[in-house]
Amino acid sequence: MAVCSPQPTLVGRDDELDLLSRLLGEVMGGAGRSVWIEGEPGIGKSALLESFLAEAARRGCAVRSATAEEFGHRVPLHVMLECLGATPGSADPGLRDVAELLSCGAHGDPVTAAAERLLGHVDRLTADGPLVLAVDDLQWADEFSVPLLHRLSRLALRRPLLLVCVCRPAPRRPDLVTLRRGLTASDAEMLRLSALTPAAVATLAAGLAAALTVRPEKRPSISPALRETAEQAAGNPSYLRELLAALAREDRLRWDGDTVDVDSAEPPRTLADAVTDRLAFLSPGALELLRTAALLGRAFSVTCLEAVVGRSALELTAALEEATATGVLAESELLLAFRHPMVRQALYERPPAGLRLALHLQAARALADAGLAVEHVAEQLLAALRTSEHVPVGGWAVDWLLVAGRTLVGRAPRDAAELLGLAVAGLPADDPRRESLEAILATALVLLGRRDEAVRLAEKVAAATRDSVRAAEMSWTAAWAMTDDDRHEAALAVLGRALRAPGLSPAWSARLHAMLARAAIADGDLGRARAAARQALDEAARSGDRPAAAAAEHAAGLLLGHRGEPSEAAARFEHGLAVAELCDDPETQDLRLRLRQDRAYALLAQERHADADLAAGELLAAAERTAAPPRLACARILAADVHYHAGRWDDAVAQLDAAAASDDLIPAGDRRWLHGLAAVIAVHRDDQASAESHLGAVPAGETFAGTAYVPLARALLAERRDLTGEALAVLTGLLDRAGTVYHRHIWLPVLLRLALRDGDDALARAARVAAGEPAAAGTPAVSRTAVARHCAGLIESDAEALGAAVAAYRAMGRPLQLAQTLEDTAVVLAERGDLRAARTAHSEATELYTGLGARWDLLRADTRLRRHGVQRRRGPRRRAATGWEALTPAELTVARLVADGRPNPDIAASLFVSRRTVEVHVSHILSKLGVRSRVEIAREAAGRLELPSAV
C-alpha cells in the first residue's frame, strides 16, 4: 500500500477559531487585545495559529509572526527580529539599522536600544492599520524578547494590535510566568487547548488515513476498530498522526469500500521510537521517572512510584510537575495517569523484554517490602510471569502469597487465582507451603464461579490435610460451592462429615452449621435448617468469633425470610452486617455483600421501597469496588428487582443485561432469578421471543431464590397465547407451595382472574382464601390488604373493594399492580353500566402501562373493555423497534449526555446509576440507532435532541 505524509489538518477547533476571529474583528475596529494560547505538545497550537493568521491576512490585516527555536535563545531578541523582519537585507531602513545595531557591537546597551526601536516600529505599523503580531513556541524565546512582548501587550491596550503568544505549559520559566501573569492582569484572553472530542478525532483520523494511503475520498469513514485504535491518542492530533503513520508503514490500514479499517488492535511495532522521540522536550529526570511509572500501568499512585524508585515524594515533585504541566500525565482522582495510552505503551516497550521482566520483579519486591496494596504487588508479579513462561513463582513471592493471599483474593480474585495457580503448579508436592496456597486458591475459585474446580481442590485438601482447622475450612468451601450449584444433598453430606470430625472448634462448628442451614433451606428441609441455624448461633456466641457470628446471623435471616417474616429477617441481616463490618477482613467480604443483598431484598419485601432503593445502591457501589463477577451479577439482579417493582423497567433491563454477561458463573438460584424476572418483563412488553429465550435458560426444578418469577412468566406467556388451561396449571402449582410469600401479590390476582375467565369458581375461591390466609401473615399489612381486596373485588365484582386496592397500591408505589387493579376496576364498572367511570379507570391504567412499555397488558385491557363499548380515544403508538422512536426515556437521557460528550463515569454519577448500567444503555442505543460508536450517536443526535440535557 502506498504511503504519503499527510499535511497538518485543523479539525475540531471551531470554537477556538471563532474566539480568535472575534478578537480580530475587535482589532480591525480599532480595539487592541492580547491572547495567550497554551497546550501540551502536539495538541494543535501551531495549526490553530496558522489557520488564524491565514484568515487575518485574507481579511486584509497586516500579519507579523515567528516561531522561537530551542537554541535561538542564544541570540538577543532573536524571535522578535525574525517576527518583524529585522535583517541586514530588510527593505525597511529602520529594521536594517536594528539588525546592524545588534551585529556591530555598538557602544552602550545595543539590546535595549534595539528593543526600543522595534517597539517604535510596531507603533508605527499600527498607526497605518490593524496588526496581528504572533510568536509561536514562546517557551524557547530568548530572555530579551519576553520583556519586549510584555511592553507590546501594553501597547495593544491603546493601539489596533492583536498580540498572540503561543506557549507550552512547561518548562515554566520565571520570565514567562511573569509575562503570563501580566497578560492576565491586563484582561488578555487565555485560551488553553484541550483534547479533541471523539467526533473530531474520528474526522481527523479519516482524513489522515485517506491521505496516508493515497485514497483522498470525498467523505472517507473509519471502522469501529480503527476508531477505537485512534482513541489511544487521547485527542492529541500529533500522536494520532504518528499512530496512523505507523499503521500505514506496517501496511495495516485497508479499505473496504469507502471505509478504512485496521487489521488488529495491536499497537504498531514502529510506534514506540516515534512517540518517545516526541518526548525529547522533557528533562532527562522527568523522562526516566516516566519510564519507571510506565511499569505501574496507565494510572498509578505517587506512593507506589516512591517505593519503586526509592525516592521521596518531595524529591519527585519537580519531575512530576513537569510531566503534568506538559500534559504527559494528568490527575485521575487520587492517582496520576498517562493522558495518552500510546505514550505509556511506547515508554513501557522501550526496554527489552528481559529487562522489563527484571524491572517488574524488582517493582513487585519493592511494593511488597513497602507494605503497599497487595493488588499492586500482584500486578507486577503477573506482568513478569506473563512476560516469560519460564519464570517460576518462588522464593519471596510464595512466602508473600502465604501472608497476603487471602487479602488478594478479597480484592482481586482473578489475579489471585492466576497467581496462586502458578505458584501451586511450581511447588513440589512435598512442599509444606503448597497446601496452604491451595486452600486460599479454593476460595478464589468459588468467588469466580469456577465451582467444580473449587470442589475438587477443596475435597482434595480436606482429605490430605492433618490440620483440623484446614479440613473444616475446606469442607465449608466445598459445601459453599455445592450449595451455589444446587447440589444440596452433596453439600449436606460434606457438612455432616465435617461436623462429626474430632477436634472441631466452636468457631468452625458455627460456620459449618450456618452453611448447613443454608443448604437445608435450599433443599426445602426447614426443620433441619432451623436446628442448624440455632446451633450456629449458639456455637458462635460460645466462640466469640465474629465471622462465625455474622455467618450464623445470615443463616437465621435466610430462614426467617423463607418463612415469610421479612421484618425479622432484615433485623438479622442488619445485625450480621454490623458484626461483619467490625471484621473488615477478606474472609468476610463476600459474606458482607451477601448480607447487604439479602437485607435489601428483605426491605423490598416489607414494601420499604425507598430504603430498599438506597440499600440496593449501596450494595452495587460496594460490589463494583470489590466483588468478583458472579457476586456483582447477583447485586445487579437485586437492583433490577427493586427497579422492576418501582416501575423503572428500563433500568431493570439494563441491570439484568449487565448481569447476564456473567450468566455461566452465577449461582443456580440467582440464574433463575435473573431469567425469570427478565422473562416476566419481556412478556409484559410482548417480546415473546425474548421471554422464550430466558425461560429456555432455566432448568427444570424448584429452588428458593426468585422462582416465583419463572412460573409467573410461563403463565403469562401461556395466557398471551390464549392457553388459559396451561397458565392456570402453572399458577395452581404455586398456590400449594410454601415459601416465597412475598411474591403472592404478583400472581394471586392473575390466578384468580384467569380462573374466573375459565369458569373455575372453586379455584378462584381458593385464590381468594390464599390472599388472606395465615401463611401470608409475614407480608406487610398494606400489601396483604391490597391483595385481599383486589381478589375480593374480582370474585365479587365489587368496585368498592377494587377501589380500596387501587388506593393501597397507589400508596405502596406499585405501578404494575396499580395498573392491573385499575384495569380490573374498569371491567367491573363497565359490567355495571358505569361507562364513564370505567373509561376513567381504563385511561389511568393505559397511562401506567404505556409508561412501563407493557404492550401486552395494554392489548389485554383493550380487548377486555372493548366488548363493553369502552375504547381508548387515541391509543398509544407501539414503540418502534429501531431509530430514535425505539429509545426508552432512560436511553434518550443517556443519548443526550453521550451526544454532549460526557464519558460514561460522568453520566453514571449524574444519573445516580452504575457505570455498567450506562454501558448497557449505550449498547442498546447503538443497536437501535444502527450506529457503531458514540461519535455516530452524537452525529445522529444533531438537530434531534436538545443539548445539553438538564440532569
Side-chain angles (χ1 to χ4, degrees), residues 339-359:
R339 284 202 60 243
H340 309 281
M342 56 188 291
V343 169
R344 184 257 163 181
Q345 191 71 22
L347 290 168
Y348 177 76
E349 292 181 349
R350 196 63 184 263
L355 177 57
R356 284 203 305 273
L357 184 152
L359 290 171

Side-chain angles (χ1 to χ4, degrees), residues 327-483:
V328 179
L329 296 180
E331 290 188 41
S332 176
E333 297 178 349
L334 298 179
L335 304 176
L336 290 175
F338 286 91
R339 284 202 60 243
H340 309 281
M342 56 188 291
V343 169
R344 184 257 163 181
Q345 191 71 22
L347 290 168
Y348 177 76
E349 292 181 349
R350 196 63 184 263
L355 177 57
R356 284 203 305 273
L357 184 152
L359 290 171
H360 278 303
L361 290 175
Q362 181 178 316
R365 186 65 180 269
L367 293 169
D369 289 346
L372 296 180
V374 294
E375 55 268 36
H376 297 322
V377 181
E379 286 171 3
Q380 294 302 310
L381 284 173
L382 286 171
L385 296 169
R386 291 166 182 161
T387 302
S388 173
E389 298 178 359
H390 307 294
V391 179
V393 181
W396 73 269
V398 170
D399 294 333
W400 175 80
L401 276 171
L402 288 170
V403 175
R406 294 188 185 276
T407 301
L408 182 62
V409 167
R411 294 182 182 175
R414 281 183 172 169
D415 286 352
E418 182 178 357
L419 194 52
L420 287 163
L422 290 169
V424 167
L427 290 176
D430 59 350
D431 192 311
R433 299 174 296 177
R434 183 182 178 113
E435 184 178 284
S436 297
L437 294 178
E438 287 177 328
I440 303 171
L441 175 58
T443 301
L445 294 174
V446 181
L447 289 172
L448 292 171
R450 294 160 60 181
R451 290 179 285 275
D452 287 341
E453 295 175 64
V455 169
R456 287 195 296 270
L457 181 58
E459 289 187 326
K460 171 198 161 192
V461 174
T465 187
R466 297 181 180 180
D467 185 332
S468 61
V469 172
R470 181 159 296 144
E473 178 192 3
M474 290 298 93
S475 296
W476 179 86
T477 301
W480 171 16
M482 291 170 174
T483 301

Side-chain angles (χ1 to χ4, degrees), residues 160 225 418 445 584 589 638 724 836 880 904 927:
E418 182 178 357
L445 294 174
D584 194 24
Q589 181 170 291
L638 182 279
T724 305
R836 182 174 182 179
N904 285 357
S927 175

Side-chain angles (χ1 to χ4, degrees), residues 601-655:
Y601 190 87
L603 291 170
L604 184 62
Q606 296 173 71
E607 307 294 353
R608 293 168 57 184
H609 296 289
D611 292 337
D613 211 353
L614 179 61
E618 291 174 350
L619 167 66
L620 266 182
E624 287 184 332
R625 286 195 306 269
T626 62
R631 178 59 50 211
L632 176 57
C634 293
R636 295 193 188 287
I637 299 168
L638 182 279
D641 208 346
V642 173
H643 290 318
Y644 168 72
H645 289 290
R648 300 189 297 269
W649 286 10
D650 294 331
D651 291 335
V653 170
Q655 291 291 359

Side-chain angles (χ1 to χ4, degrees), residues 52-252:
F52 168 66
L53 294 179
E55 179 190 354
R58 283 194 303 270
R59 291 173 63 173
C61 189
V63 174
R64 300 289 187 273
S65 66
T67 300
E69 299 175 1
E70 187 170 358
F71 301 106
H73 62 275
R74 298 171 181 172
V75 179
L77 294 173
H78 177 270
V79 70
M80 294 308 302
L81 295 173
E82 182 180 342
C83 179
L84 296 170
T87 65
S90 173
D92 187 303
L95 294 176
R96 285 201 305 273
D97 289 345
V98 171
E100 183 178 347
L101 181 67
L102 290 172
S103 63
C104 69
H107 295 293
D109 186 353
V111 176
T112 300
E116 291 294 336
R117 295 188 185 186
L118 290 175
L119 184 64
H121 178 72
V122 173
D123 195 12
R124 289 190 296 275
L125 286 176
T126 57
D128 296 334
L131 170 67
V132 175
L133 193 153
V135 177
D136 196 3
D137 279 341
L138 191 56
Q139 70 276 0
W140 306 129
D142 62 275
E143 60 179 315
F144 298 100
S145 291
V146 174
L148 179 55
L149 286 169
H150 189 72
R151 296 179 68 187
L152 287 170
S153 72
R154 291 201 295 270
L155 179 65
L157 295 175
R158 60 181 188 275
R159 297 290 193 194
L161 168 65
L162 179 58
L163 178 65
V164 183
C165 299
V166 183
C167 189
R168 292 178 183 175
R172 296 178 64 84
R173 289 170 37 183
D175 56 344
L176 291 177
V177 171
T178 301
L179 173 60
R180 190 180 190 281
R181 188 183 300 121
L183 291 177
T184 303
S186 61
D187 198 30
E189 196 73 48
M190 295 292 161
L191 184 57
R192 185 177 181 93
L193 296 192
S194 57
L196 295 178
T197 65
V201 168
T203 301
L204 179 57
L208 291 172
L212 284 162
T213 54
V214 201
R215 284 281 301 270
E217 303 284 338
K218 291 182 180 179
R219 294 190 65 183
S221 61
I222 60 175
S223 69
L226 184 54
R227 184 177 287 107
E228 183 178 345
T229 301
E231 289 174 358
Q232 296 178 35
N236 185 296
S238 180
Y239 287 138
L240 179 61
R241 193 172 292 110
E242 293 289 356
L243 173 63
L244 292 174
L247 290 170
R249 284 195 299 271
E250 296 178 14
D251 200 24
R252 291 175 53 189

